[in-house]
Amino acid sequence: MTKQYTTDSKPFLDTGLALVSNLPYRVTDMTEATNAFGRKEIDLALHEMPGLSSLRVEFGAAQPLAGAKIMGSLHMTIQTAVLIETLTYLGAEVRWVSCNIFSTQDHAATAVAVGPNGTVDAPAGVPVFAWKGETLAEYWWCTLLAVLWPEMNLILDDGGDATMLLHLGAELEEAGETADPADADSDEHRVVLQLLKMVREQMGDNVFRPLVAQVRGVSEETTTGVHRLVERLAAGTLRFPAINVNDSVTKSKFDNMYGCRHSLVDAIMRATDVMLSGKRALVLGFGDVGKGSVQSLRAQQAKVSITEIDPICALQACMQGIDVVRMDDVVSKFDVFVTATGNFNIITAAHMKRMKHNAIVCNIGHFDNEIDMAGLEAMVEAGELEKIEIKPQVHEWRFKNTTQGPNGGGHSIIILAEGRLVNLGCATGHPSFVMSASFTNQTLAQMELHANAESYGISVTTLSKKLDEKVARLHLDKFDVDLTVLSGEQASYIGVDQMGPFKPEAYRY
Ligand code: NAD
Ligand code: 3DD
């Protein structure tokens, strides 16, 4: 039973939402029509997610996640709904939020809250706190509500926001300090500090330490989240073991690459209807996501170049006939810009001042700081720039003092999803099949943590290659694949077991 928190606490900032409450869920639209739409799409998605459906068949009877209480912070999409209902099918209790203010598909959130056997009048699903178009204050209110779960013992994270909130809260309590919003270095950081300050004022100074102490481990979905975990591990501040799901080959070499290949142009087309053929497109960063993004744009016959810092990735681009350029040299000549670095300040306000009229700017990396949105907001404050909403998640930013616009006047640029990941802000993200591979890894990681977390110590590890190959096998049947089977002699000749693993740990696919 969830501990009864006070429900008369003051609202958090301008959300109108009591800081702590016993709300069983909060979604935008609890109606029959929305629930039916969500449920239908979940059913369709499951057919395209063979890895998850196979795990349900293989492990359903054994209930391997019985006793697991999983708090999830991952884009609340139809595909995530199938993941959630796989975790509960295997015995887990789950509470869920999205990890991005624009990525929730509201019909997915509604259907998850109602559940397969509930109704909108008597929801019997999973506590979910997510809706498309959350403010930052609402986003962090949702995340707090999901972690204020004393029984929580596992986390499933995407980008590390849930892990960060728990760690920061516990660190402040241990230091006997109250968060000071004046210490913030960004609008979002300020909201987090205001949240922590209000928790301290309304709930005391021993809220996060017990919660962290309960958490046995976290499985992390994405590159940037893994980077934050590795940073904490190196600093000696990580408080529970982590499984790095991103670096399962069947995650990052599929989701990050082929998922973005599908969903990048889907998002740009839905947002702008601009013809990409023949346009000059610049993808900044040529890692897994950048490679998929280049393929996505090239498939539309755009003329694609990249920027890179890494000579190996740059050489890979050259081998594919892709120009490697510097942003400063080309910014005034290109039509479309896509950041995919996981780094920050990749496209600055100064860059955007120099862009062509109506250049399209978007980010497919995890956080919005790849594009200097704060710098643009400052220019709006200073009266140098006007922000005009064309439609939700599509804005014209009109410069007042430039001359490359119509009739020598100010030019505009079109920024998608306010610099947040464009494929989930302006479209529905990756399709089900590729997310099935990612989420099969997530489910296996949660099962592993639930069974053996204490054996890991404080660490950041990946799943075994045997499990990675299992995930691949679970998806091959969709393609009528006939794998060749090694003979015993061949297996010993190349030094592998007949049924795998077929590659050494260091193999790069
Ligand atoms: P990656 O590390 O494989 O690739 C990032 C690349 O950017 C690297 O090659 C790096 O050398 C390069 N880079 C870093 N700083 C740069 C700079 N200043 N200029 C040019 N290049 C630079 O990471 P990835 O797996 O491709 O992920 C990239 C980002 O996308 C991460 O934030 C990740 O979390 C996110 N991601 C998003 C989605 C999505 O659906 N939108 C899916 C998976 C991952
Ligand atoms: N991501 C992309 N499409 C998604 C979808 N349809 N549902 C949930 C999450 C989705 C983001 C993932 O690629 C995540 O693994 C990441 O960001 O790495």
Side-chain angles (χ1 to χ4, degrees), residues 74-80 105 158 221-223 246 251 255-256 263 366 421 423-424 428-431 435 438-439:
L74 195 152
H75 309 286
M76 186 56 251
T77 65
I78 288 291
Q79 291 71 35
T80 300
Q105 292 159 19
D158 183 342
E221 173 79 3
T222 199
T223 318
N246 184 70
K251 193 278 176 181
D255 170 325
N256 302 27
S263 60
H366 188 77
L421 66 187
N423 57 328
L424 284 145
T428 58
H430 302 341
M435 291 315 301
S438 299
F439 291 166

PDB file of all heavy atoms in Angstrom, residues 74-80 105 158 221-223 246 251 255-256 263 366 421 423-424 428-431 435 438-439, ligand 2:
ATOM      1  N   LEU A  74      10.475   7.284 -18.738  1.00  0.00           N
ATOM      2  CA  LEU A  74      10.806   7.019 -20.128  1.00  0.00           C
ATOM      3  C   LEU A  74       9.607   7.436 -20.966  1.00  0.00           C
ATOM      4  O   LEU A  74       8.465   7.159 -20.606  1.00  0.00           O
ATOM      5  CB  LEU A  74      11.128   5.524 -20.311  1.00  0.00           C
ATOM      6  CG  LEU A  74      11.835   5.130 -21.599  1.00  0.00           C
ATOM      7  CD1 LEU A  74      12.673   3.869 -21.387  1.00  0.00           C
ATOM      8  CD2 LEU A  74      10.868   4.909 -22.734  1.00  0.00           C
ATOM      9  N   HIS A  75       9.876   8.068 -22.097  1.00  0.00           N
ATOM     10  CA  HIS A  75       8.840   8.622 -22.980  1.00  0.00           C
ATOM     11  C   HIS A  75       7.564   7.776 -22.967  1.00  0.00           C
ATOM     12  O   HIS A  75       7.594   6.601 -23.326  1.00  0.00           O
ATOM     13  CB  HIS A  75       9.373   8.678 -24.409  1.00  0.00           C
ATOM     14  CG  HIS A  75      10.715   9.342 -24.538  1.00  0.00           C
ATOM     15  ND1 HIS A  75      10.892  10.699 -24.434  1.00  0.00           N
ATOM     16  CD2 HIS A  75      11.947   8.819 -24.734  1.00  0.00           C
ATOM     17  CE1 HIS A  75      12.172  10.990 -24.593  1.00  0.00           C
ATOM     18  NE2 HIS A  75      12.836   9.877 -24.764  1.00  0.00           N
ATOM     19  N   MET A  76       6.443   8.376 -22.595  1.00  0.00           N
ATOM     20  CA  MET A  76       5.185   7.625 -22.404  1.00  0.00           C
ATOM     21  C   MET A  76       4.476   7.475 -23.760  1.00  0.00           C
ATOM     22  O   MET A  76       3.470   8.132 -24.048  1.00  0.00           O
ATOM     23  CB  MET A  76       4.336   8.362 -21.375  1.00  0.00           C
ATOM     24  CG  MET A  76       3.056   7.587 -20.999  1.00  0.00           C
ATOM     25  SD  MET A  76       3.356   5.944 -20.390  1.00  0.00           S
ATOM     26  CE  MET A  76       2.769   4.927 -21.735  1.00  0.00           C
ATOM     27  N   THR A  77       4.998   6.571 -24.567  1.00  0.00           N
ATOM     28  CA  THR A  77       4.471   6.312 -25.917  1.00  0.00           C
ATOM     29  C   THR A  77       3.724   4.981 -25.942  1.00  0.00           C
ATOM     30  O   THR A  77       3.740   4.230 -24.966  1.00  0.00           O
ATOM     31  CB  THR A  77       5.631   6.208 -26.921  1.00  0.00           C
ATOM     32  OG1 THR A  77       6.403   5.049 -26.556  1.00  0.00           O
ATOM     33  CG2 THR A  77       6.515   7.438 -26.907  1.00  0.00           C
ATOM     34  N   ILE A  78       3.134   4.679 -27.060  1.00  0.00           N
ATOM     35  CA  ILE A  78       2.469   3.389 -27.259  1.00  0.00           C
ATOM     36  C   ILE A  78       3.459   2.252 -27.041  1.00  0.00           C
ATOM     37  O   ILE A  78       3.159   1.241 -26.396  1.00  0.00           O
ATOM     38  CB  ILE A  78       1.839   3.326 -28.668  1.00  0.00           C
ATOM     39  CG1 ILE A  78       0.615   4.239 -28.745  1.00  0.00           C
ATOM     40  CG2 ILE A  78       1.497   1.893 -29.067  1.00  0.00           C
ATOM     41  CD1 ILE A  78      -0.581   3.777 -27.927  1.00  0.00           C
ATOM     42  N   GLN A  79       4.683   2.392 -27.538  1.00  0.00           N
ATOM     43  CA  GLN A  79       5.698   1.339 -27.395  1.00  0.00           C
ATOM     44  C   GLN A  79       6.063   1.156 -25.921  1.00  0.00           C
ATOM     45  O   GLN A  79       6.221   0.033 -25.433  1.00  0.00           O
ATOM     46  CB  GLN A  79       6.949   1.676 -28.216  1.00  0.00           C
ATOM     47  CG  GLN A  79       6.722   1.609 -29.725  1.00  0.00           C
ATOM     48  CD  GLN A  79       5.861   2.738 -30.257  1.00  0.00           C
ATOM     49  OE1 GLN A  79       5.925   3.883 -29.750  1.00  0.00           O
ATOM     50  NE2 GLN A  79       5.033   2.451 -31.246  1.00  0.00           N
ATOM     51  N   THR A  80       6.169   2.270 -25.206  1.00  0.00           N
ATOM     52  CA  THR A  80       6.462   2.184 -23.774  1.00  0.00           C
ATOM     53  C   THR A  80       5.301   1.542 -23.035  1.00  0.00           C
ATOM     54  O   THR A  80       5.504   0.810 -22.055  1.00  0.00           O
ATOM     55  CB  THR A  80       6.777   3.576 -23.219  1.00  0.00           C
ATOM     56  OG1 THR A  80       7.920   4.095 -23.902  1.00  0.00           O
ATOM     57  CG2 THR A  80       7.041   3.546 -21.740  1.00  0.00           C
ATOM     58  N   GLN A 105       2.424  10.347 -25.651  1.00  0.00           N
ATOM     59  CA  GLN A 105       1.246  10.195 -26.512  1.00  0.00           C
ATOM     60  C   GLN A 105       0.060  10.000 -25.559  1.00  0.00           C
ATOM     61  O   GLN A 105      -0.012   8.998 -24.834  1.00  0.00           O
ATOM     62  CB  GLN A 105       1.432   8.989 -27.444  1.00  0.00           C
ATOM     63  CG  GLN A 105       2.545   9.249 -28.466  1.00  0.00           C
ATOM     64  CD  GLN A 105       3.130   7.982 -29.070  1.00  0.00           C
ATOM     65  OE1 GLN A 105       2.536   6.915 -29.019  1.00  0.00           O
ATOM     66  NE2 GLN A 105       4.314   8.126 -29.622  1.00  0.00           N
ATOM     67  N   ASP A 158      15.570   6.897 -18.482  1.00  0.00           N
ATOM     68  CA  ASP A 158      15.962   7.254 -19.850  1.00  0.00           C
ATOM     69  C   ASP A 158      16.472   8.691 -19.811  1.00  0.00           C
ATOM     70  O   ASP A 158      15.710   9.636 -19.785  1.00  0.00           O
ATOM     71  CB  ASP A 158      14.763   7.139 -20.792  1.00  0.00           C
ATOM     72  CG  ASP A 158      15.141   7.427 -22.247  1.00  0.00           C
ATOM     73  OD1 ASP A 158      16.207   8.041 -22.489  1.00  0.00           O
ATOM     74  OD2 ASP A 158      14.386   7.039 -23.146  1.00  0.00           O
ATOM     75  N   GLU A 221      18.433   3.635 -20.299  1.00  0.00           N
ATOM     76  CA  GLU A 221      18.055   3.444 -21.706  1.00  0.00           C
ATOM     77  C   GLU A 221      18.999   4.065 -22.703  1.00  0.00           C
ATOM     78  O   GLU A 221      19.211   3.496 -23.763  1.00  0.00           O
ATOM     79  CB  GLU A 221      16.650   4.038 -21.912  1.00  0.00           C
ATOM     80  CG  GLU A 221      16.157   4.084 -23.329  1.00  0.00           C
ATOM     81  CD  GLU A 221      15.638   2.759 -23.827  1.00  0.00           C
ATOM     82  OE1 GLU A 221      15.613   1.806 -23.043  1.00  0.00           O
ATOM     83  OE2 GLU A 221      15.287   2.672 -25.024  1.00  0.00           O
ATOM     84  N   THR A 222      19.555   5.280 -22.354  1.00  0.00           N
ATOM     85  CA  THR A 222      20.142   6.034 -23.465  1.00  0.00           C
ATOM     86  C   THR A 222      21.562   6.499 -23.190  1.00  0.00           C
ATOM     87  O   THR A 222      22.028   6.568 -22.060  1.00  0.00           O
ATOM     88  CB  THR A 222      19.247   7.242 -23.840  1.00  0.00           C
ATOM     89  OG1 THR A 222      19.589   7.678 -25.151  1.00  0.00           O
ATOM     90  CG2 THR A 222      19.379   8.380 -22.839  1.00  0.00           C
ATOM     91  N   THR A 223      22.231   6.899 -24.277  1.00  0.00           N
ATOM     92  CA  THR A 223      23.642   7.289 -24.254  1.00  0.00           C
ATOM     93  C   THR A 223      23.923   8.349 -23.203  1.00  0.00           C
ATOM     94  O   THR A 223      24.842   8.246 -22.412  1.00  0.00           O
ATOM     95  CB  THR A 223      24.021   7.821 -25.647  1.00  0.00           C
ATOM     96  OG1 THR A 223      23.446   6.998 -26.658  1.00  0.00           O
ATOM     97  CG2 THR A 223      25.514   7.903 -25.829  1.00  0.00           C
ATOM     98  N   ASN A 246      21.677   0.933 -23.036  1.00  0.00           N
ATOM     99  CA  ASN A 246      22.020   1.568 -24.313  1.00  0.00           C
ATOM    100  C   ASN A 246      23.070   0.800 -25.079  1.00  0.00           C
ATOM    101  O   ASN A 246      22.982   0.707 -26.309  1.00  0.00           O
ATOM    102  CB  ASN A 246      22.522   2.993 -24.087  1.00  0.00           C
ATOM    103  CG  ASN A 246      22.794   3.718 -25.407  1.00  0.00           C
ATOM    104  OD1 ASN A 246      21.870   4.051 -26.147  1.00  0.00           O
ATOM    105  ND2 ASN A 246      24.071   3.944 -25.707  1.00  0.00           N
ATOM    106  N   LYS A 251      20.387  -2.689 -28.867  1.00  0.00           N
ATOM    107  CA  LYS A 251      19.730  -1.425 -28.587  1.00  0.00           C
ATOM    108  C   LYS A 251      20.375  -0.335 -29.444  1.00  0.00           C
ATOM    109  O   LYS A 251      19.758   0.153 -30.389  1.00  0.00           O
ATOM    110  CB  LYS A 251      19.807  -1.067 -27.084  1.00  0.00           C
ATOM    111  CG  LYS A 251      18.869   0.089 -26.677  1.00  0.00           C
ATOM    112  CD  LYS A 251      19.460   1.452 -26.966  1.00  0.00           C
ATOM    113  CE  LYS A 251      18.497   2.570 -26.647  1.00  0.00           C
ATOM    114  NZ  LYS A 251      19.060   3.923 -26.951  1.00  0.00           N
ATOM    115  N   ASP A 255      17.987   0.850 -32.366  1.00  0.00           N
ATOM    116  CA  ASP A 255      17.178   2.003 -31.932  1.00  0.00           C
ATOM    117  C   ASP A 255      17.871   3.312 -32.340  1.00  0.00           C
ATOM    118  O   ASP A 255      17.321   4.137 -33.080  1.00  0.00           O
ATOM    119  CB  ASP A 255      17.018   1.865 -30.421  1.00  0.00           C
ATOM    120  CG  ASP A 255      16.431   3.033 -29.678  1.00  0.00           C
ATOM    121  OD1 ASP A 255      16.689   4.182 -30.045  1.00  0.00           O
ATOM    122  OD2 ASP A 255      15.737   2.790 -28.683  1.00  0.00           O
ATOM    123  N   ASN A 256      19.083   3.524 -31.859  1.00  0.00           N
ATOM    124  CA  ASN A 256      19.757   4.800 -32.090  1.00  0.00           C
ATOM    125  C   ASN A 256      19.958   5.041 -33.585  1.00  0.00           C
ATOM    126  O   ASN A 256      19.889   6.173 -34.060  1.00  0.00           O
ATOM    127  CB  ASN A 256      21.111   4.832 -31.373  1.00  0.00           C
ATOM    128  CG  ASN A 256      20.980   4.607 -29.882  1.00  0.00           C
ATOM    129  OD1 ASN A 256      20.029   3.964 -29.431  1.00  0.00           O
ATOM    130  ND2 ASN A 256      21.929   5.098 -29.079  1.00  0.00           N
ATOM    131  N   SER A 263      12.455   7.816 -37.823  1.00  0.00           N
ATOM    132  CA  SER A 263      11.647   8.850 -37.160  1.00  0.00           C
ATOM    133  C   SER A 263      12.124  10.279 -37.371  1.00  0.00           C
ATOM    134  O   SER A 263      11.359  11.218 -37.128  1.00  0.00           O
ATOM    135  CB  SER A 263      11.576   8.545 -35.650  1.00  0.00           C
ATOM    136  OG  SER A 263      12.852   8.523 -35.070  1.00  0.00           O
ATOM    137  N   HIS A 366      19.356  13.801 -26.647  1.00  0.00           N
ATOM    138  CA  HIS A 366      18.426  13.649 -25.532  1.00  0.00           C
ATOM    139  C   HIS A 366      17.979  14.969 -24.931  1.00  0.00           C
ATOM    140  O   HIS A 366      16.800  15.152 -24.639  1.00  0.00           O
ATOM    141  CB  HIS A 366      19.047  12.775 -24.432  1.00  0.00           C
ATOM    142  CG  HIS A 366      18.057  12.422 -23.357  1.00  0.00           C
ATOM    143  ND1 HIS A 366      17.092  11.460 -23.518  1.00  0.00           N
ATOM    144  CD2 HIS A 366      17.850  12.970 -22.140  1.00  0.00           C
ATOM    145  CE1 HIS A 366      16.343  11.396 -22.428  1.00  0.00           C
ATOM    146  NE2 HIS A 366      16.778  12.299 -21.571  1.00  0.00           N
ATOM    147  N   LEU A 421      14.090  16.653 -28.210  1.00  0.00           N
ATOM    148  CA  LEU A 421      14.259  15.653 -29.271  1.00  0.00           C
ATOM    149  C   LEU A 421      13.059  15.617 -30.217  1.00  0.00           C
ATOM    150  O   LEU A 421      11.918  15.382 -29.848  1.00  0.00           O
ATOM    151  CB  LEU A 421      14.660  14.299 -28.729  1.00  0.00           C
ATOM    152  CG  LEU A 421      13.840  13.382 -27.868  1.00  0.00           C
ATOM    153  CD1 LEU A 421      14.689  12.220 -27.421  1.00  0.00           C
ATOM    154  CD2 LEU A 421      13.176  14.013 -26.704  1.00  0.00           C
ATOM    155  N   ASN A 423      12.064  13.819 -32.810  1.00  0.00           N
ATOM    156  CA  ASN A 423      11.271  12.679 -33.294  1.00  0.00           C
ATOM    157  C   ASN A 423      10.149  12.318 -32.345  1.00  0.00           C
ATOM    158  O   ASN A 423       9.140  11.756 -32.742  1.00  0.00           O
ATOM    159  CB  ASN A 423      12.187  11.477 -33.571  1.00  0.00           C
ATOM    160  CG  ASN A 423      12.998  11.049 -32.369  1.00  0.00           C
ATOM    161  OD1 ASN A 423      13.383  11.858 -31.529  1.00  0.00           O
ATOM    162  ND2 ASN A 423      13.263   9.770 -32.278  1.00  0.00           N
ATOM    163  N   LEU A 424      10.313  12.675 -31.051  1.00  0.00           N
ATOM    164  CA  LEU A 424       9.242  12.420 -30.082  1.00  0.00           C
ATOM    165  C   LEU A 424       8.400  13.650 -29.830  1.00  0.00           C
ATOM    166  O   LEU A 424       7.264  13.560 -29.351  1.00  0.00           O
ATOM    167  CB  LEU A 424       9.840  11.895 -28.779  1.00  0.00           C
ATOM    168  CG  LEU A 424      10.257  10.431 -28.885  1.00  0.00           C
ATOM    169  CD1 LEU A 424      11.488  10.128 -28.086  1.00  0.00           C
ATOM    170  CD2 LEU A 424       9.111   9.521 -28.510  1.00  0.00           C
ATOM    171  N   THR A 428       5.994  10.474 -33.477  1.00  0.00           N
ATOM    172  CA  THR A 428       5.683   9.498 -32.413  1.00  0.00           C
ATOM    173  C   THR A 428       6.906   8.639 -32.070  1.00  0.00           C
ATOM    174  O   THR A 428       6.781   7.556 -31.520  1.00  0.00           O
ATOM    175  CB  THR A 428       4.541   8.576 -32.886  1.00  0.00           C
ATOM    176  OG1 THR A 428       4.963   7.936 -34.106  1.00  0.00           O
ATOM    177  CG2 THR A 428       3.274   9.372 -33.119  1.00  0.00           C
ATOM    178  N   GLY A 429       8.086   9.164 -32.432  1.00  0.00           N
ATOM    179  CA  GLY A 429       9.303   8.425 -32.105  1.00  0.00           C
ATOM    180  C   GLY A 429       9.504   7.230 -33.013  1.00  0.00           C
ATOM    181  O   GLY A 429       8.918   7.130 -34.090  1.00  0.00           O
ATOM    182  N   HIS A 430      10.347   6.315 -32.549  1.00  0.00           N
ATOM    183  CA  HIS A 430      10.686   5.160 -33.371  1.00  0.00           C
ATOM    184  C   HIS A 430       9.486   4.199 -33.447  1.00  0.00           C
ATOM    185  O   HIS A 430       8.649   4.145 -32.533  1.00  0.00           O
ATOM    186  CB  HIS A 430      11.844   4.373 -32.769  1.00  0.00           C
ATOM    187  CG  HIS A 430      13.097   5.152 -32.579  1.00  0.00           C
ATOM    188  ND1 HIS A 430      13.388   6.327 -33.222  1.00  0.00           N
ATOM    189  CD2 HIS A 430      14.154   4.900 -31.778  1.00  0.00           C
ATOM    190  CE1 HIS A 430      14.577   6.759 -32.841  1.00  0.00           C
ATOM    191  NE2 HIS A 430      15.067   5.910 -31.957  1.00  0.00           N
ATOM    192  N   PRO A 431       9.436   3.430 -34.485  1.00  0.00           N
ATOM    193  CA  PRO A 431       8.371   2.437 -34.627  1.00  0.00           C
ATOM    194  C   PRO A 431       8.542   1.275 -33.651  1.00  0.00           C
ATOM    195  O   PRO A 431       9.590   1.089 -33.043  1.00  0.00           O
ATOM    196  CB  PRO A 431       8.513   1.976 -36.078  1.00  0.00           C
ATOM    197  CG  PRO A 431       9.921   2.268 -36.446  1.00  0.00           C
ATOM    198  CD  PRO A 431      10.345   3.454 -35.634  1.00  0.00           C
ATOM    199  N   MET A 435      11.802  -0.560 -31.218  1.00  0.00           N
ATOM    200  CA  MET A 435      11.689  -0.352 -29.774  1.00  0.00           C
ATOM    201  C   MET A 435      11.525  -1.697 -29.063  1.00  0.00           C
ATOM    202  O   MET A 435      11.881  -1.818 -27.877  1.00  0.00           O
ATOM    203  CB  MET A 435      10.521   0.568 -29.450  1.00  0.00           C
ATOM    204  CG  MET A 435      10.715   2.009 -29.884  1.00  0.00           C
ATOM    205  SD  MET A 435      12.330   2.740 -29.525  1.00  0.00           S
ATOM    206  CE  MET A 435      12.407   2.566 -27.749  1.00  0.00           C
ATOM    207  N   SER A 438      14.982  -2.668 -28.042  1.00  0.00           N
ATOM    208  CA  SER A 438      15.423  -1.881 -26.886  1.00  0.00           C
ATOM    209  C   SER A 438      14.734  -2.357 -25.621  1.00  0.00           C
ATOM    210  O   SER A 438      15.359  -2.562 -24.577  1.00  0.00           O
ATOM    211  CB  SER A 438      15.100  -0.396 -27.112  1.00  0.00           C
ATOM    212  OG  SER A 438      15.754   0.102 -28.246  1.00  0.00           O
ATOM    213  N   PHE A 439      13.442  -2.540 -25.691  1.00  0.00           N
ATOM    214  CA  PHE A 439      12.663  -2.822 -24.481  1.00  0.00           C
ATOM    215  C   PHE A 439      12.750  -4.274 -24.051  1.00  0.00           C
ATOM    216  O   PHE A 439      12.517  -4.594 -22.873  1.00  0.00           O
ATOM    217  CB  PHE A 439      11.212  -2.372 -24.671  1.00  0.00           C
ATOM    218  CG  PHE A 439      11.038  -0.867 -24.732  1.00  0.00           C
ATOM    219  CD1 PHE A 439       9.858  -0.309 -25.175  1.00  0.00           C
ATOM    220  CD2 PHE A 439      12.065  -0.001 -24.352  1.00  0.00           C
ATOM    221  CE1 PHE A 439       9.690   1.078 -25.224  1.00  0.00           C
ATOM    222  CE2 PHE A 439      11.913   1.371 -24.397  1.00  0.00           C
ATOM    223  CZ  PHE A 439      10.715   1.910 -24.832  1.00  0.00           C
TER     224      PHE A 439
HETATM  225  N1  3DD B   2      12.622   6.712 -28.248  1.00  0.00           N
HETATM  226  C1  3DD B   2      12.498   6.867 -29.580  1.00  0.00           C
HETATM  227  N2  3DD B   2      11.297   6.431 -29.993  1.00  0.00           N
HETATM  228  C2  3DD B   2      10.642   5.961 -28.884  1.00  0.00           C
HETATM  229  C3  3DD B   2       9.370   5.375 -28.694  1.00  0.00           C
HETATM  230  N3  3DD B   2       8.527   5.174 -29.731  1.00  0.00           N
HETATM  231  N4  3DD B   2       8.993   5.007 -27.445  1.00  0.00           N
HETATM  232  C4  3DD B   2       9.826   5.196 -26.376  1.00  0.00           C
HETATM  233  C5  3DD B   2      11.083   5.759 -26.490  1.00  0.00           C
HETATM  234  C6  3DD B   2      11.494   6.139 -27.760  1.00  0.00           C
HETATM  235  C7  3DD B   2      13.783   7.087 -27.457  1.00  0.00           C
HETATM  236  C8  3DD B   2      14.627   5.841 -27.367  1.00  0.00           C
HETATM  237  O1  3DD B   2      15.364   5.788 -28.574  1.00  0.00           O
HETATM  238  C9  3DD B   2      15.571   5.844 -26.217  1.00  0.00           C
HETATM  239  O2  3DD B   2      16.034   4.567 -26.243  1.00  0.00           O
HETATM  240  C10 3DD B   2      16.731   6.770 -26.364  1.00  0.00           C
HETATM  241  O3  3DD B   2      16.507   7.969 -26.343  1.00  0.00           O
HETATM  242  O4  3DD B   2      17.873   6.250 -26.417  1.00  0.00           O
END
